[in-house]
Amino acid sequence: MPPIAIIGCGPAGLMAAEVLAGRGYPVHCFDAMPSAGRKFLMAGKSGLNLTHSEPFPDFIRRYGSASSRLEAALAALPPEALRAWAATLGIPTFIGSSGRIFPEGMKAAPLLRAWLHRLRQQGVRFHMRHRWNGWQGQALCFDTPAGPLSFTPAATLLALGGASWPRLGSDGRWAPLLAERGIALAPLRPANCGFIVPWREHFRERFAGAPVKNVCAGAPGFAPRRGEFVISREGVEGSLIYALAAPLRDALAQDGEAAISLDLAPDKSLQALQAALSRPRGRDSLANHLRRQGGLTGVKAALLRECLPPQSLADPARLAAAIKALPLPVVAPAPLEEAISTAGGVALSELDEDFMLRRQPGLFCAGEMLDWEAPTGGYLLTACLATGHQAGLGIARWLAQATPTRN
């Protein structure tokens, strides 16, 4: 059988390799890094969130405007199938209290070790420290420790990731190579990222690293959600902020400004807060009055001082309204290289149903380098695995048709 090249040894590339090797194809996996799955390992360092257990119609909606385009791939490798797949590697999984699905033991390393062992047993060959730098005719060109290398496969899958965490291999250097071939690309942008807030120095020095717990946060066009986040030296980060990343990023791009709306006391009504804060302070300081009557201390009380003018702090009605809907302006997303994931990439309209580029027969793309995004919670990893799975099936179908044009 003719050889197949997979460039990128993350989840999408490895899943495609498994599909193809299982059908007897000689598969060669190339990666610029010294070892496979480095971002996968980092993502699972504090607990690998493999997928999510929510009903499939709700699951699909997490992919926003890309939902309809990804649905077939996700339906072919849904969360329950991923759990069964992990079990074949000797990795049982469980559903956490949030509905997220984790491997027992929580770590990514045991799963990756078992997976790579199986792939090698299936005959997959790995070529590490091989950086792809384009084509020469029909040949793929690589820079390697031994010098330049050319490799001419029967079909190629690009699974090169986005542009976040470049030190782990996802650096976006593939984008100009595809643009040169006329492939439409959406600009690479941060997704699931923190945001810059110009804190005053006193607030930054005192509260950087502080968690803000039990709050609700909303953004333009996004319903408030309860959770927590963290004050960083440069702004805000954490799971609740990541959930707001897309609407905040898009509002900044469109309007030049955006703000998070914070409910600092989600278990109290506006009326109850206003009544409590209207009680005479006597000799109490504002800090004591907020603690006694509003239940706000520490970083929550400090956020009010940071974001409100003095006249609002002195007015019980305005103060109560601010506690329930505190506007926290953000000025920019955190840098792309610090984001958990990337938005933008290869336009989905460039690809057929098997993720083959319409303009480049025999050249397929999968994973995070495609133009989709999703929140954390298992959705990112599931779509990477599912698109790699679909692309692997697509390569097998394309080769079976004996298409004369090869890439």
mmCIF file of all heavy atoms in Angstrom, residues 168-216:
data_model
loop_
_atom_site.group_PDB
_atom_site.id
_atom_site.type_symbol
_atom_site.label_atom_id
_atom_site.label_comp_id
_atom_site.label_asym_id
_atom_site.label_seq_id
_atom_site.Cartn_x
_atom_site.Cartn_y
_atom_site.Cartn_z
ATOM 1 N N LEU A 168 5.167 24.340 22.759
ATOM 2 C CA LEU A 168 4.792 22.928 22.712
ATOM 3 C C LEU A 168 4.511 22.460 21.287
ATOM 4 O O LEU A 168 4.105 21.328 21.083
ATOM 5 C CB LEU A 168 3.565 22.673 23.595
ATOM 6 C CG LEU A 168 3.736 23.026 25.072
ATOM 7 C CD1 LEU A 168 2.452 22.760 25.838
ATOM 8 C CD2 LEU A 168 4.897 22.240 25.690
ATOM 9 N N GLY A 169 4.734 23.352 20.316
ATOM 10 C CA GLY A 169 4.631 22.951 18.917
ATOM 11 C C GLY A 169 3.550 23.632 18.112
ATOM 12 O O GLY A 169 3.604 23.622 16.884
ATOM 13 N N SER A 170 2.539 24.201 18.762
ATOM 14 C CA SER A 170 1.445 24.860 18.024
ATOM 15 C C SER A 170 1.817 26.321 17.794
ATOM 16 O O SER A 170 1.478 27.191 18.595
ATOM 17 C CB SER A 170 0.134 24.756 18.813
ATOM 18 O OG SER A 170 -0.258 23.419 18.967
ATOM 19 N N ASP A 171 2.506 26.587 16.697
ATOM 20 C CA ASP A 171 3.034 27.933 16.486
ATOM 21 C C ASP A 171 2.438 28.642 15.277
ATOM 22 O O ASP A 171 2.803 29.780 14.970
ATOM 23 C CB ASP A 171 4.562 27.902 16.373
ATOM 24 C CG ASP A 171 5.073 26.963 15.281
ATOM 25 O OD1 ASP A 171 4.274 26.589 14.383
ATOM 26 O OD2 ASP A 171 6.260 26.598 15.327
ATOM 27 N N GLY A 172 1.542 27.994 14.536
ATOM 28 C CA GLY A 172 0.883 28.635 13.403
ATOM 29 C C GLY A 172 1.766 28.891 12.201
ATOM 30 O O GLY A 172 1.343 29.598 11.270
ATOM 31 N N ARG A 173 2.955 28.309 12.157
ATOM 32 C CA ARG A 173 3.857 28.586 11.043
ATOM 33 C C ARG A 173 3.390 27.948 9.735
ATOM 34 O O ARG A 173 3.940 28.226 8.676
ATOM 35 C CB ARG A 173 5.268 28.097 11.401
ATOM 36 C CG ARG A 173 5.941 29.001 12.437
ATOM 37 C CD ARG A 173 7.224 28.433 13.007
ATOM 38 N NE ARG A 173 8.240 28.214 11.977
ATOM 39 C CZ ARG A 173 9.492 27.867 12.262
ATOM 40 N NH1 ARG A 173 9.856 27.701 13.533
ATOM 41 N NH2 ARG A 173 10.358 27.674 11.290
ATOM 42 N N TRP A 174 2.350 27.129 9.828
ATOM 43 C CA TRP A 174 1.797 26.512 8.623
ATOM 44 C C TRP A 174 0.947 27.489 7.814
ATOM 45 O O TRP A 174 0.721 27.260 6.617
ATOM 46 C CB TRP A 174 0.932 25.307 9.002
ATOM 47 C CG TRP A 174 -0.068 25.612 10.084
ATOM 48 C CD1 TRP A 174 0.093 25.422 11.420
ATOM 49 C CD2 TRP A 174 -1.368 26.191 9.916
ATOM 50 N NE1 TRP A 174 -1.033 25.830 12.108
ATOM 51 C CE2 TRP A 174 -1.944 26.313 11.207
ATOM 52 C CE3 TRP A 174 -2.101 26.609 8.816
ATOM 53 C CZ2 TRP A 174 -3.221 26.833 11.411
ATOM 54 C CZ3 TRP A 174 -3.369 27.135 9.008
ATOM 55 C CH2 TRP A 174 -3.906 27.245 10.308
ATOM 56 N N ALA A 175 0.452 28.552 8.449
ATOM 57 C CA ALA A 175 -0.527 29.418 7.788
ATOM 58 C C ALA A 175 -0.001 30.030 6.482
ATOM 59 O O ALA A 175 -0.692 29.974 5.447
ATOM 60 C CB ALA A 175 -1.009 30.499 8.747
ATOM 61 N N PRO A 176 1.202 30.618 6.445
ATOM 62 C CA PRO A 176 1.674 31.184 5.170
ATOM 63 C C PRO A 176 1.848 30.124 4.079
ATOM 64 O O PRO A 176 1.652 30.415 2.894
ATOM 65 C CB PRO A 176 3.023 31.815 5.549
ATOM 66 C CG PRO A 176 2.976 32.008 7.023
ATOM 67 C CD PRO A 176 2.133 30.909 7.553
ATOM 68 N N LEU A 177 2.190 28.891 4.461
ATOM 69 C CA LEU A 177 2.385 27.840 3.463
ATOM 70 C C LEU A 177 1.077 27.506 2.756
ATOM 71 O O LEU A 177 1.062 27.256 1.538
ATOM 72 C CB LEU A 177 2.960 26.592 4.127
ATOM 73 C CG LEU A 177 4.320 26.768 4.817
ATOM 74 C CD1 LEU A 177 4.722 25.487 5.545
ATOM 75 C CD2 LEU A 177 5.393 27.156 3.804
ATOM 76 N N LEU A 178 -0.031 27.518 3.501
ATOM 77 C CA LEU A 178 -1.332 27.260 2.873
ATOM 78 C C LEU A 178 -1.845 28.495 2.138
ATOM 79 O O LEU A 178 -2.457 28.372 1.074
ATOM 80 C CB LEU A 178 -2.334 26.815 3.928
ATOM 81 C CG LEU A 178 -2.066 25.450 4.565
ATOM 82 C CD1 LEU A 178 -3.213 25.065 5.494
ATOM 83 C CD2 LEU A 178 -1.854 24.367 3.528
ATOM 84 N N ALA A 179 -1.596 29.668 2.709
ATOM 85 C CA ALA A 179 -2.036 30.897 2.034
ATOM 86 C C ALA A 179 -1.385 31.026 0.663
ATOM 87 O O ALA A 179 -2.017 31.488 -0.297
ATOM 88 C CB ALA A 179 -1.711 32.111 2.907
ATOM 89 N N GLU A 180 -0.119 30.605 0.555
ATOM 90 C CA GLU A 180 0.574 30.666 -0.734
ATOM 91 C C GLU A 180 -0.112 29.805 -1.790
ATOM 92 O O GLU A 180 0.016 30.055 -2.984
ATOM 93 C CB GLU A 180 2.027 30.202 -0.562
ATOM 94 C CG GLU A 180 2.916 31.201 0.156
ATOM 95 C CD GLU A 180 4.278 30.615 0.476
ATOM 96 O OE1 GLU A 180 4.544 29.465 0.058
ATOM 97 O OE2 GLU A 180 5.078 31.299 1.142
ATOM 98 N N ARG A 181 -0.844 28.794 -1.352
ATOM 99 C CA ARG A 181 -1.556 27.914 -2.280
ATOM 100 C C ARG A 181 -2.996 28.352 -2.493
ATOM 101 O O ARG A 181 -3.799 27.615 -3.069
ATOM 102 C CB ARG A 181 -1.507 26.469 -1.775
ATOM 103 C CG ARG A 181 -0.106 25.877 -1.805
ATOM 104 C CD ARG A 181 -0.129 24.367 -1.907
ATOM 105 N NE ARG A 181 1.134 23.877 -2.465
ATOM 106 C CZ ARG A 181 1.328 22.656 -2.950
ATOM 107 N NH1 ARG A 181 0.311 21.795 -2.968
ATOM 108 N NH2 ARG A 181 2.490 22.294 -3.431
ATOM 109 N N GLY A 182 -3.332 29.532 -2.008
ATOM 110 C CA GLY A 182 -4.659 30.076 -2.249
ATOM 111 C C GLY A 182 -5.733 29.541 -1.330
ATOM 112 O O GLY A 182 -6.932 29.709 -1.602
ATOM 113 N N ILE A 183 -5.346 28.905 -0.218
ATOM 114 C CA ILE A 183 -6.322 28.365 0.729
ATOM 115 C C ILE A 183 -6.816 29.504 1.624
ATOM 116 O O ILE A 183 -6.008 30.238 2.198
ATOM 117 C CB ILE A 183 -5.692 27.251 1.590
ATOM 118 C CG1 ILE A 183 -5.095 26.162 0.702
ATOM 119 C CG2 ILE A 183 -6.722 26.675 2.550
ATOM 120 C CD1 ILE A 183 -6.054 25.526 -0.257
ATOM 121 N N ALA A 184 -8.120 29.659 1.730
ATOM 122 C CA ALA A 184 -8.690 30.727 2.561
ATOM 123 C C ALA A 184 -8.489 30.409 4.034
ATOM 124 O O ALA A 184 -8.821 29.311 4.500
ATOM 125 C CB ALA A 184 -10.173 30.890 2.258
ATOM 126 N N LEU A 185 -7.971 31.377 4.757
ATOM 127 C CA LEU A 185 -7.707 31.235 6.190
ATOM 128 C C LEU A 185 -8.363 32.373 6.957
ATOM 129 O O LEU A 185 -8.294 33.531 6.532
ATOM 130 C CB LEU A 185 -6.205 31.255 6.481
ATOM 131 C CG LEU A 185 -5.305 30.281 5.714
ATOM 132 C CD1 LEU A 185 -3.846 30.566 6.038
ATOM 133 C CD2 LEU A 185 -5.663 28.842 6.069
ATOM 134 N N ALA A 186 -8.996 32.058 8.074
ATOM 135 C CA ALA A 186 -9.443 33.091 9.003
ATOM 136 C C ALA A 186 -8.279 33.429 9.925
ATOM 137 O O ALA A 186 -7.498 32.545 10.293
ATOM 138 C CB ALA A 186 -10.631 32.592 9.823
ATOM 139 N N PRO A 187 -8.109 34.702 10.289
ATOM 140 C CA PRO A 187 -6.982 35.071 11.154
ATOM 141 C C PRO A 187 -6.974 34.256 12.445
ATOM 142 O O PRO A 187 -8.029 33.987 13.033
ATOM 143 C CB PRO A 187 -7.233 36.561 11.442
ATOM 144 C CG PRO A 187 -8.106 37.027 10.319
ATOM 145 C CD PRO A 187 -8.955 35.859 9.929
ATOM 146 N N LEU A 188 -5.797 33.857 12.872
ATOM 147 C CA LEU A 188 -5.655 33.113 14.122
ATOM 148 C C LEU A 188 -5.806 34.071 15.295
ATOM 149 O O LEU A 188 -5.118 35.089 15.380
ATOM 150 C CB LEU A 188 -4.304 32.415 14.166
ATOM 151 C CG LEU A 188 -4.079 31.360 13.071
ATOM 152 C CD1 LEU A 188 -2.668 30.822 13.144
ATOM 153 C CD2 LEU A 188 -5.087 30.233 13.193
ATOM 154 N N ARG A 189 -6.722 33.743 16.211
ATOM 155 C CA ARG A 189 -7.033 34.619 17.346
ATOM 156 C C ARG A 189 -7.089 33.797 18.617
ATOM 157 O O ARG A 189 -7.357 32.596 18.591
ATOM 158 C CB ARG A 189 -8.388 35.296 17.121
ATOM 159 C CG ARG A 189 -8.466 36.178 15.886
ATOM 160 C CD ARG A 189 -9.917 36.556 15.591
ATOM 161 N NE ARG A 189 -10.692 35.382 15.201
ATOM 162 C CZ ARG A 189 -12.014 35.296 15.261
ATOM 163 N NH1 ARG A 189 -12.724 36.306 15.717
ATOM 164 N NH2 ARG A 189 -12.641 34.194 14.883
ATOM 165 N N PRO A 190 -6.868 34.420 19.772
ATOM 166 C CA PRO A 190 -6.947 33.661 21.025
ATOM 167 C C PRO A 190 -8.375 33.245 21.335
ATOM 168 O O PRO A 190 -9.330 33.978 21.091
ATOM 169 C CB PRO A 190 -6.415 34.650 22.066
ATOM 170 C CG PRO A 190 -6.610 36.001 21.471
ATOM 171 C CD PRO A 190 -6.482 35.827 19.992
ATOM 172 N N ALA A 191 -8.536 32.059 21.863
ATOM 173 C CA ALA A 191 -9.818 31.555 22.357
ATOM 174 C C ALA A 191 -9.571 30.937 23.729
ATOM 175 O O ALA A 191 -8.462 30.492 24.029
ATOM 176 C CB ALA A 191 -10.399 30.522 21.400
ATOM 177 N N ASN A 192 -10.609 30.909 24.564
ATOM 178 C CA ASN A 192 -10.434 30.412 25.931
ATOM 179 C C ASN A 192 -9.210 31.076 26.569
ATOM 180 O O ASN A 192 -8.249 30.411 26.972
ATOM 181 C CB ASN A 192 -10.299 28.887 25.938
ATOM 182 C CG ASN A 192 -11.582 28.204 25.520
ATOM 183 O OD1 ASN A 192 -12.593 28.287 26.210
ATOM 184 N ND2 ASN A 192 -11.564 27.558 24.370
ATOM 185 N N CYS A 193 -9.281 32.383 26.640
ATOM 186 C CA CYS A 193 -8.122 33.165 27.067
ATOM 187 C C CYS A 193 -8.505 34.128 28.185
ATOM 188 O O CYS A 193 -9.680 34.402 28.432
ATOM 189 C CB CYS A 193 -7.565 33.960 25.888
ATOM 190 S SG CYS A 193 -8.753 35.119 25.167
ATOM 191 N N GLY A 194 -7.492 34.651 28.857
ATOM 192 C CA GLY A 194 -7.686 35.734 29.805
ATOM 193 C C GLY A 194 -7.781 37.072 29.083
ATOM 194 O O GLY A 194 -7.628 37.153 27.856
ATOM 195 N N PHE A 195 -8.020 38.127 29.870
ATOM 196 C CA PHE A 195 -8.139 39.464 29.296
ATOM 197 C C PHE A 195 -7.355 40.471 30.131
ATOM 198 O O PHE A 195 -7.171 40.299 31.340
ATOM 199 C CB PHE A 195 -9.612 39.878 29.192
ATOM 200 C CG PHE A 195 -10.321 39.211 28.054
ATOM 201 C CD1 PHE A 195 -10.805 37.925 28.193
ATOM 202 C CD2 PHE A 195 -10.432 39.841 26.827
ATOM 203 C CE1 PHE A 195 -11.411 37.273 27.132
ATOM 204 C CE2 PHE A 195 -11.042 39.204 25.753
ATOM 205 C CZ PHE A 195 -11.533 37.923 25.904
ATOM 206 N N ILE A 196 -6.908 41.505 29.425
ATOM 207 C CA ILE A 196 -6.122 42.560 30.062
ATOM 208 C C ILE A 196 -7.059 43.574 30.714
ATOM 209 O O ILE A 196 -8.002 44.061 30.077
ATOM 210 C CB ILE A 196 -5.228 43.279 29.024
ATOM 211 C CG1 ILE A 196 -4.382 42.261 28.252
ATOM 212 C CG2 ILE A 196 -4.361 44.330 29.704
ATOM 213 C CD1 ILE A 196 -3.449 41.446 29.097
ATOM 214 N N VAL A 197 -6.785 43.883 31.965
ATOM 215 C CA VAL A 197 -7.498 44.932 32.701
ATOM 216 C C VAL A 197 -6.427 45.863 33.281
ATOM 217 O O VAL A 197 -5.494 45.389 33.936
ATOM 218 C CB VAL A 197 -8.351 44.360 33.849
ATOM 219 C CG1 VAL A 197 -9.076 45.475 34.590
ATOM 220 C CG2 VAL A 197 -9.363 43.345 33.316
ATOM 221 N N PRO A 198 -6.522 47.161 33.030
ATOM 222 C CA PRO A 198 -5.486 48.075 33.534
ATOM 223 C C PRO A 198 -5.671 48.384 35.023
ATOM 224 O O PRO A 198 -6.095 49.463 35.411
ATOM 225 C CB PRO A 198 -5.680 49.319 32.660
ATOM 226 C CG PRO A 198 -7.131 49.305 32.306
ATOM 227 C CD PRO A 198 -7.519 47.863 32.186
ATOM 228 N N TRP A 199 -5.343 47.406 35.877
ATOM 229 C CA TRP A 199 -5.484 47.604 37.323
ATOM 230 C C TRP A 199 -4.620 48.748 37.808
ATOM 231 O O TRP A 199 -3.512 48.991 37.276
ATOM 232 C CB TRP A 199 -5.050 46.347 38.076
ATOM 233 C CG TRP A 199 -5.724 45.058 37.766
ATOM 234 C CD1 TRP A 199 -5.107 43.898 37.377
ATOM 235 C CD2 TRP A 199 -7.125 44.753 37.856
ATOM 236 N NE1 TRP A 199 -6.027 42.897 37.203
ATOM 237 C CE2 TRP A 199 -7.281 43.390 37.498
ATOM 238 C CE3 TRP A 199 -8.251 45.503 38.190
ATOM 239 C CZ2 TRP A 199 -8.516 42.752 37.473
ATOM 240 C CZ3 TRP A 199 -9.486 44.874 38.165
ATOM 241 C CH2 TRP A 199 -9.618 43.528 37.823
ATOM 242 N N ARG A 200 -5.094 49.423 38.831
ATOM 243 C CA ARG A 200 -4.211 50.348 39.534
ATOM 244 C C ARG A 200 -3.175 49.550 40.316
ATOM 245 O O ARG A 200 -3.408 48.405 40.708
ATOM 246 C CB ARG A 200 -5.025 51.250 40.467
ATOM 247 C CG ARG A 200 -5.850 52.283 39.703
ATOM 248 C CD ARG A 200 -6.649 53.173 40.622
ATOM 249 N NE ARG A 200 -7.764 52.448 41.245
ATOM 250 C CZ ARG A 200 -8.740 53.040 41.918
ATOM 251 N NH1 ARG A 200 -8.732 54.361 42.078
ATOM 252 N NH2 ARG A 200 -9.707 52.328 42.451
ATOM 253 N N GLU A 201 -2.025 50.150 40.518
ATOM 254 C CA GLU A 201 -0.895 49.416 41.074
ATOM 255 C C GLU A 201 -1.200 48.833 42.457
ATOM 256 O O GLU A 201 -0.812 47.693 42.762
ATOM 257 C CB GLU A 201 0.340 50.320 41.149
ATOM 258 C CG GLU A 201 1.634 49.584 41.476
ATOM 259 C CD GLU A 201 1.985 48.520 40.428
ATOM 260 O OE1 GLU A 201 1.612 48.673 39.253
ATOM 261 O OE2 GLU A 201 2.641 47.524 40.805
ATOM 262 N N HIS A 202 -1.906 49.589 43.292
ATOM 263 C CA HIS A 202 -2.211 49.093 44.635
ATOM 264 C C HIS A 202 -3.051 47.822 44.557
ATOM 265 O O HIS A 202 -2.799 46.839 45.274
ATOM 266 C CB HIS A 202 -2.953 50.168 45.440
ATOM 267 C CG HIS A 202 -3.460 49.672 46.762
ATOM 268 N ND1 HIS A 202 -2.631 49.461 47.835
ATOM 269 C CD2 HIS A 202 -4.722 49.317 47.171
ATOM 270 C CE1 HIS A 202 -3.349 49.002 48.856
ATOM 271 N NE2 HIS A 202 -4.619 48.910 48.480
ATOM 272 N N PHE A 203 -4.062 47.827 43.696
ATOM 273 C CA PHE A 203 -4.921 46.644 43.555
ATOM 274 C C PHE A 203 -4.104 45.473 43.017
ATOM 275 O O PHE A 203 -4.203 44.350 43.517
ATOM 276 C CB PHE A 203 -6.090 46.963 42.614
ATOM 277 C CG PHE A 203 -7.046 45.815 42.434
ATOM 278 C CD1 PHE A 203 -8.137 45.666 43.277
ATOM 279 C CD2 PHE A 203 -6.858 44.880 41.419
ATOM 280 C CE1 PHE A 203 -9.024 44.597 43.121
ATOM 281 C CE2 PHE A 203 -7.735 43.816 41.259
ATOM 282 C CZ PHE A 203 -8.812 43.677 42.115
ATOM 283 N N ARG A 204 -3.287 45.711 41.997
ATOM 284 C CA ARG A 204 -2.490 44.645 41.394
ATOM 285 C C ARG A 204 -1.566 44.006 42.416
ATOM 286 O O ARG A 204 -1.482 42.780 42.527
ATOM 287 C CB ARG A 204 -1.682 45.205 40.224
ATOM 288 C CG ARG A 204 -0.740 44.178 39.585
ATOM 289 C CD ARG A 204 0.157 44.774 38.524
ATOM 290 N NE ARG A 204 -0.602 45.161 37.343
ATOM 291 C CZ ARG A 204 -0.796 46.406 36.963
ATOM 292 N NH1 ARG A 204 -0.296 47.411 37.702
ATOM 293 N NH2 ARG A 204 -1.486 46.671 35.883
ATOM 294 N N GLU A 205 -0.863 44.824 43.170
ATOM 295 C CA GLU A 205 0.102 44.293 44.127
ATOM 296 C C GLU A 205 -0.574 43.499 45.236
ATOM 297 O O GLU A 205 -0.038 42.496 45.715
ATOM 298 C CB GLU A 205 0.928 45.438 44.739
ATOM 299 C CG GLU A 205 1.882 46.097 43.755
ATOM 300 C CD GLU A 205 2.907 45.115 43.212
ATOM 301 O OE1 GLU A 205 3.361 44.233 43.976
ATOM 302 O OE2 GLU A 205 3.227 45.198 42.010
ATOM 303 N N ARG A 206 -1.751 43.908 45.631
ATOM 304 C CA ARG A 206 -2.408 43.250 46.759
ATOM 305 C C ARG A 206 -3.185 42.003 46.341
ATOM 306 O O ARG A 206 -3.250 41.030 47.100
ATOM 307 C CB ARG A 206 -3.351 44.223 47.454
ATOM 308 C CG ARG A 206 -3.978 43.622 48.712
ATOM 309 C CD ARG A 206 -4.710 44.631 49.531
ATOM 310 N NE ARG A 206 -5.311 44.018 50.706
ATOM 311 C CZ ARG A 206 -6.119 44.638 51.550
ATOM 312 N NH1 ARG A 206 -6.429 45.918 51.339
ATOM 313 N NH2 ARG A 206 -6.633 44.014 52.583
ATOM 314 N N PHE A 207 -3.758 42.003 45.137
ATOM 315 C CA PHE A 207 -4.722 40.943 44.812
ATOM 316 C C PHE A 207 -4.327 40.051 43.638
ATOM 317 O O PHE A 207 -5.079 39.124 43.323
ATOM 318 C CB PHE A 207 -6.099 41.565 44.556
ATOM 319 C CG PHE A 207 -6.723 42.151 45.789
ATOM 320 C CD1 PHE A 207 -6.730 43.522 45.989
ATOM 321 C CD2 PHE A 207 -7.257 41.330 46.767
ATOM 322 C CE1 PHE A 207 -7.284 44.064 47.140
ATOM 323 C CE2 PHE A 207 -7.812 41.859 47.923
ATOM 324 C CZ PHE A 207 -7.833 43.236 48.108
ATOM 325 N N ALA A 208 -3.198 40.282 42.999
ATOM 326 C CA ALA A 208 -2.785 39.375 41.924
ATOM 327 C C ALA A 208 -2.695 37.954 42.458
ATOM 328 O O ALA A 208 -2.066 37.692 43.475
ATOM 329 C CB ALA A 208 -1.448 39.816 41.339
ATOM 330 N N GLY A 209 -3.364 37.041 41.779
ATOM 331 C CA GLY A 209 -3.410 35.656 42.219
ATOM 332 C C GLY A 209 -4.619 35.308 43.065
ATOM 333 O O GLY A 209 -4.852 34.125 43.362
ATOM 334 N N ALA A 210 -5.416 36.309 43.452
ATOM 335 C CA ALA A 210 -6.566 36.053 44.320
ATOM 336 C C ALA A 210 -7.730 35.474 43.520
ATOM 337 O O ALA A 210 -8.075 35.998 42.459
ATOM 338 C CB ALA A 210 -7.002 37.341 45.011
ATOM 339 N N PRO A 211 -8.372 34.416 44.018
ATOM 340 C CA PRO A 211 -9.570 33.897 43.349
ATOM 341 C C PRO A 211 -10.802 34.725 43.706
ATOM 342 O O PRO A 211 -10.923 35.215 44.833
ATOM 343 C CB PRO A 211 -9.690 32.483 43.904
ATOM 344 C CG PRO A 211 -9.064 32.552 45.262
ATOM 345 C CD PRO A 211 -7.963 33.583 45.157
ATOM 346 N N VAL A 212 -11.682 34.901 42.763
ATOM 347 C CA VAL A 212 -12.960 35.573 42.990
ATOM 348 C C VAL A 212 -14.026 34.490 42.838
ATOM 349 O O VAL A 212 -14.339 34.059 41.727
ATOM 350 C CB VAL A 212 -13.200 36.718 41.994
ATOM 351 C CG1 VAL A 212 -14.467 37.487 42.345
ATOM 352 C CG2 VAL A 212 -11.999 37.668 41.964
ATOM 353 N N LYS A 213 -14.581 34.057 43.963
ATOM 354 C CA LYS A 213 -15.447 32.879 43.972
ATOM 355 C C LYS A 213 -16.920 33.252 44.072
ATOM 356 O O LYS A 213 -17.267 34.322 44.558
ATOM 357 C CB LYS A 213 -15.067 31.961 45.137
ATOM 358 C CG LYS A 213 -13.647 31.419 45.039
ATOM 359 C CD LYS A 213 -13.358 30.433 46.157
ATOM 360 C CE LYS A 213 -11.969 29.838 46.014
ATOM 361 N NZ LYS A 213 -11.688 28.817 47.049
ATOM 362 N N ASN A 214 -17.759 32.322 43.619
ATOM 363 C CA ASN A 214 -19.209 32.445 43.706
ATOM 364 C C ASN A 214 -19.697 33.785 43.165
ATOM 365 O O ASN A 214 -20.271 34.600 43.869
ATOM 366 C CB ASN A 214 -19.690 32.253 45.147
ATOM 367 C CG ASN A 214 -21.204 32.138 45.225
ATOM 368 O OD1 ASN A 214 -21.852 31.686 44.278
ATOM 369 N ND2 ASN A 214 -21.769 32.551 46.336
ATOM 370 N N VAL A 215 -19.444 33.982 41.887
ATOM 371 C CA VAL A 215 -19.943 35.168 41.189
ATOM 372 C C VAL A 215 -20.643 34.710 39.914
ATOM 373 O O VAL A 215 -20.463 33.578 39.451
ATOM 374 C CB VAL A 215 -18.810 36.157 40.839
ATOM 375 C CG1 VAL A 215 -18.176 36.731 42.089
ATOM 376 C CG2 VAL A 215 -17.761 35.492 39.955
ATOM 377 N N CYS A 216 -21.434 35.592 39.353
ATOM 378 C CA CYS A 216 -21.972 35.386 38.003
ATOM 379 C C CYS A 216 -21.325 36.420 37.088
ATOM 380 O O CYS A 216 -21.129 37.567 37.491
ATOM 381 C CB CYS A 216 -23.487 35.551 37.978
ATOM 382 S SG CYS A 216 -24.381 34.137 38.640
#
